[in-house]
Amino acid sequence: MNITDMGTVTRPMERLLPNSIWPMHVTARNRFATLFLLAATTILPALTGCSTNPATGEQSFTAFMSPEQERQVGRQQDPQIKQEFGGAYNNAELAAYVTRIGNKLAATSEMPDLDFTFTVLNTPDINAFALPGGYVYVTRGLIALAENEAELAGVIAHEIGHVTARHSAERYSRGTAIGLGATILGVLTDSKAIADLAGLGSQLYLKSYSREQEFQADTLGVRYLSRAGYETGAMASFLQKLGNASRLQAEIAGANHDPDAVDLMATHPRTVDRVQQALIAARVRSVSNPVVRRDPFLDKVDGVLFGNDPKEGVIRDRTFLHKDLNFRFEVPPNFRIYNQPHRVLALDPNGARFIFDAAPKSAEQRPAGYIRNNWARGQAVRDLENITINGMNAATGWLAITAKNGTTYMLRLVAIRYDADTLYRMQFLVPSHRTSTLNESMRRTTYSFNLLTKEDRAAIQPYRVKVMRFDGTVSEQSLAGSIPFPGYEVRYFRMINSLENGARPPLGSRIKTIGPQ
C-alpha cells in the first residue's frame, strides 16, 4: 500500500460489494439482432486493414493501430504500468541480466531492429506481459518461481511473440471495429441496449489474449528459444510449475481470494498440452547442448525480495504494519489480508470484507463531519459518534445496504484523524445476518490501529529468496521453516524446488528457500 501515490478514492459501496451481487441483464429483440448482422456485413468489409504479419505469416487485422502508434502507446503506458506494479525492482544486476536475455531473444525475432525494453517489476505477483512497441515486463515474483535461465527465457520469448505477432494492435483494431459497429447500430436501431451490448463485448474481448493468440505466442517463443540455443522444453516445464503454484496458492488462500489479484493463468489461457503442440507447430530443429544455465540463474535470484516490499507495508499473519507511515492494525480472525497499491483489503470465507485506505488530501474536517458530509454524502448514516482510538480523534457510523439480489448488508465506516494532514479510513462490509457475530471483531480491529512499537519495527524485516547447497544433514522442515505460509511451509518449499512426490533434493544440489533478511 502506497498512500502517497493515491489518486481518486472510492466512496462507500463502490468497490465493496462482490461483483456477483450486481448482475447485468441486457436483452434485445430479434429485429435488433437482424440489424446487427446487416450493419456488421456493411461495415466490416469496408475496413480494409488486413496485412501479412512477418512473424506469423498470416493475415491480421490491424487497421486502427500502426507500428508507430504501437510504440507511442507503449511509451505512454510504461510509466503507468510501473506505478501500478510497484515500480521497477531496484536491483541493477538482475535488471541487466533480464535485459541481456531479452535482447538475445529479440535479436532472433522478425523485428530485430525494434527497440525492446525489458523491466523487472517490484511486485510479488507471478506475472509477465508486454505492451505494444516492445515493452516487456516480468515480475520478481515470477523470477523467484523459475528454476533456471531457460525457463525465464521461455517466459520472455512468449511475450516477445505477442509483440512480433502484433496481438495488441490486432485486439485494439478488432475492438475499435466492434465499437464503431456499436455506434452505428445505436443510430440505426435507436436502441441504447444493443449499443451497450456490443460495447460490452468489445471490453470483454480486450481483457485477455485469445487461445489462438496464446498459441501463436508460444509457437513464436519456441522459435526464438531455439534460435538463441535455449532448451525449448523449458516453456512447458515452467508452465507446469506455474500451475502447481497457482493451485497451492489457491489452497493456502482457501475461499479468501483477492478479487483484484493478477492471475497469469487467467490472462494467459494456456495448458501444457497446448504448449507441447506449439513445440511441434514451431518445426524447429533440436538444439545440440541446449542452454539451461541453472547456476547462473540461481546466482541472480539469490537475495531477491519475496512478498511485499516493506516500503509498501508488510503482512504478518493477521497484522498489517507500515514502517514508513508508522502504523499497524489487526484484522479479525479468519480474514486474509491483501496489500494492494492504494488500499489494504481483507476478506473472510463467508462474504465479509474490510478495506483500509486514506481519505483524499482535501479531507481537513473533523472525522464525524467528513463521514457525514463527504464520505457518505447523501446517505443515511446511523449512530454516527465521535470516538478516540489510542489518543487519535475518530468517528464511526454505519449504513444499511440492500443489493439488487435482495441481500442486506451493514457497512461500518470509521474515519481516524492520524495527523493534521492525514485521515485514514476503515470500511467493514458484513452480511446483515452476521453483524452480531462480527461486531466484537470489528470493534477490536478498529481499536487495534496504533503507532508502531520498537518490537513492531524489529519485526518488519523483508523476506528474501535464499539459495543454499543441500548437504543432506538438514531436514526439509528445517529448510522450509521460515517460509511465511504457516502449515504449508514444506509443500511450498517442494513446489519452488520442483520436488514432486516427496523426493529429496540430490546431495550437493543447490536449492531455494524463503526467509527473513
Side-chain angles (χ1 to χ4, degrees):
M1 177 183 183
N2 189 342
I3 299 295
T4 59
D5 287 341
M6 292 188 62
T8 58
V9 183
T10 56
R11 294 181 61 195
M13 300 181 291
E14 287 185 15
R15 291 194 65 183
L16 276 173
L17 293 178
N19 292 334
S20 59
I21 292 177
W22 305 107
M24 179 179 290
H25 300 288
V26 182
T27 59
R29 296 179 183 178
N30 290 337
R31 65 187 181 91
F32 290 156
T34 302
L35 284 171
F36 179 90
L37 292 174
L38 177 61
T41 56
T42 303
I43 297 165
L44 294 181
L47 302 174
T48 57
C50 289
S51 60
T52 301
N53 184 281
T56 64
E58 298 179 2
Q59 292 283 309
S60 60
F61 179 66
T62 55
F64 293 98
M65 183 177 282
S66 68
E68 178 52 40
Q69 287 173 321
E70 287 184 89
R71 289 189 285 273
Q72 182 179 353
V73 168
R75 285 193 298 269
Q76 291 174 342
Q77 293 297 316
D78 176 63
Q80 298 178 37
I81 288 292
K82 289 175 180 174
Q83 180 179 4
E84 181 66 22
F85 288 91
Y89 182 48
N90 186 21
N91 184 321
E93 187 176 348
L94 182 64
Y97 175 65
V98 169
T99 296
R100 284 197 301 271
I101 297 171
N103 285 337
K104 181 179 180 180
L105 293 162
T108 74
S109 77
E110 293 75 18
M111 296 182 180
D113 297 328
L114 181 62
D115 187 16
F116 278 86
T117 300
F118 301 93
T119 302
V120 179
L121 294 172
N122 185 25
T123 173
D125 293 336
I126 300 172
N127 206 356
F129 45 88
L131 289 180
Y135 290 82
V136 176
Y137 307 87
V138 293
T139 65
R140 60 174 168 81
L142 182 144
I143 292 173
L145 182 64
E147 184 72 17
N148 51 54
E149 184 176 306
E151 288 190 346
L152 177 57
V155 172
I156 296 172
H158 175 90
E159 298 307 326
I160 291 174
H162 280 305
V163 173
T164 58
R166 300 191 65 202
H167 286 155
S168 293
E170 189 174 39
R171 287 194 308 175
Y172 175 81
S173 295
R174 290 186 183 277
T176 300
I178 294 172
L180 177 61
T183 301
I184 296 176
L185 281 171
V187 174
L188 291 176
T189 64
D190 195 25
S191 168
K192 185 177 184 298
I194 194 69
D196 288 346
L197 180 61
L200 178 62
S202 172
Q203 295 168 23
L204 292 176
Y205 180 85
L206 294 174
K207 278 191 173 181
S208 65
Y209 292 115
S210 69
R211 286 179 174 164
E212 179 183 357
Q213 289 171 326
E214 291 293 353
F215 185 78
Q216 282 186 338
D218 278 333
T219 303
L220 293 172
V222 169
R223 180 188 300 173
Y224 307 149
L225 281 176
S226 175
R227 289 174 178 175
Y230 283 107
E231 169 58 66
T232 55
M235 188 179 288
S237 67
F238 182 75
L239 190 62
Q240 181 67 53
K241 178 180 278 191
L242 185 65
N244 293 339
S246 181
R247 286 186 290 272
L248 179 57
Q249 289 179 336
E251 186 176 341
I252 292 172
N256 294 351
H257 68 283
D258 180 357
D260 296 326
V262 179
D263 185 352
L264 183 59
M265 300 296 283
T267 58
H268 292 261
R270 303 154 72 199
T271 66
V272 173
D273 287 344
R274 281 199 292 274
V275 172
Q276 296 289 3
Q277 293 171 17
L279 286 169
I280 298 171
R283 293 196 294 271
V284 295
R285 295 180 180 179
S286 298
V287 178
S288 299
N289 300 316
V291 174
V292 176
R293 291 176 58 86
R294 185 170 189 268
D295 281 334
F297 172 81
L298 291 178
D299 290 341
K300 296 298 186 294
V301 80
D302 189 19
V304 165
L305 193 65
F306 182 86
N308 294 116
D309 190 325
K311 72 179 182 181
E312 304 291 341
V314 299
I315 299 167
R316 296 293 181 262
D317 194 16
R318 293 190 292 114
T319 302
F320 182 82
L321 308 98
H322 204 302
K323 190 172 185 177
D324 292 348
L325 299 178
N326 192 30
F327 68 76
R328 73 188 304 276
F329 59 83
E330 184 176 293
V331 301
N334 299 319
F335 276 65
R336 183 173 178 83
I337 304 176
Y338 300 93
N339 189 14
Q340 300 181 325
H342 305 311
R343 65 178 186 172
V344 179
L345 171 67
L347 312 173
D348 88 338
N350 300 306
R353 294 191 179 194
F354 166 83
I355 286 180
F356 176 91
D357 64 6
K361 292 296 184 182
S362 59
E364 298 177 351
Q365 60 267 65
R366 294 178 180 274
Y370 170 74
I371 291 177
R372 180 178 54 250
N373 302 323
N374 294 74
W375 197 9
R377 183 175 64 252
Q379 302 178 58
V381 181
R382 305 185 185 184
D383 300 329
L384 181 62
E385 61 175 326
N386 293 308
I387 59 176
T388 300
I389 299 175
N390 296 308
M392 291 170 274
N393 292 327
T396 184
W398 63 279
L399 305 171
I401 299 173
T402 302
K404 289 185 178 180
N405 65 355
T407 303
T408 58
Y409 292 84
M410 190 271 295
L411 177 62
R412 167 69 63 181
L413 306 177
V414 180
I416 306 168
R417 174 57 67 186
Y418 180 80
D419 58 30
D421 300 319
T422 311
L423 190 72
Y424 287 127
R425 316 189 304 183
M426 294 182 176
Q427 300 181 60
F428 302 86
L429 182 76
V430 180
S432 295
H433 69 277
R434 299 187 61 212
T435 300
S436 59
T437 303
L438 289 176
N439 260 339
E440 179 61 21
S441 293
M442 288 188 289
R443 190 188 71 82
R444 290 181 181 275
T445 293
T446 300
Y447 286 94
S448 72
F449 183 84
N450 206 347
L451 305 182
L452 298 177
T453 65
K454 287 184 178 180
E455 293 75 17
D456 289 332
R457 289 184 173 275
I460 302 176
Q461 292 196 28
Y463 284 85
R464 296 188 182 275
V465 178
K466 296 185 175 183
V467 178
M468 61 188 67
R469 199 166 294 279
F470 182 66
D471 62 8
T473 64
V474 183
S475 68
E476 274 188 326
Q477 187 63 55
S478 295
L479 290 169
S482 58
I483 293 177
F485 298 113
Y488 295 88
E489 299 93 338
V490 171
R491 290 179 59 187
Y492 201 90
F493 171 78
R494 291 174 179 170
M495 185 272 296
I496 61 174
N497 288 288
S498 300
L499 299 171
E500 298 182 0
N501 302 321
R504 286 170 62 82
L507 285 175
S509 66
R510 300 177 77 190
I511 54 175
K512 293 182 292 185
T513 189
I514 312 295
Q517 185 173 354

